[in-house]
Amino acid sequence: MSTIKRFIAGAVCPRCGAMDRLRTWEQNETRYRDCVSCDFFEQQAIEEPPTLAEISTRVSAPRETPVSDEVQPVRILDPGKLH
């Protein structure tokens, strides 16, 4: 199986300065970059980002009071009788 190499849109080669000539691919836990205009080549180990604890927000915090499953009737108002 061949590795898919993708061009990086808008990237500028650090060696020759050509734009849109860098491509990237990953293989065997390593990320590679190269330039198709010059002999620039770079490899970098792929590291897993550290897992951060989820920040407590009003959405992610547990509810203090459980939601009731009780059925409540809906009252439809007549807009003409509101005044």
Side-chain angles (χ1 to χ4, degrees), residues 5-25 32-42:
K5 297 179 181 179
R6 297 194 165 123
F7 282 92
I8 307 170
V12 176
C13 175
R15 180 166 292 150
C16 69
M19 182 182 276
D20 294 334
R21 301 290 185 189
L22 285 179
R23 41 183 201 173
T24 184
W25 69 97
Y32 299 96
R33 279 193 325 168
D34 73 344
C35 178
V36 296
S37 294
C38 68
D39 61 347
F40 172 76
F41 179 79
E42 179 181 60

Side-chain angles (χ1 to χ4, degrees), residues 39-58:
D39 61 347
F40 172 76
F41 179 79
E42 179 181 60
Q43 67 183 35
Q44 194 175 31
I46 299 175
E47 297 176 6
E48 293 293 323
T51 329
L52 300 175
E54 183 177 355
I55 298 172
S56 178
T57 64
R58 65 180 177 86

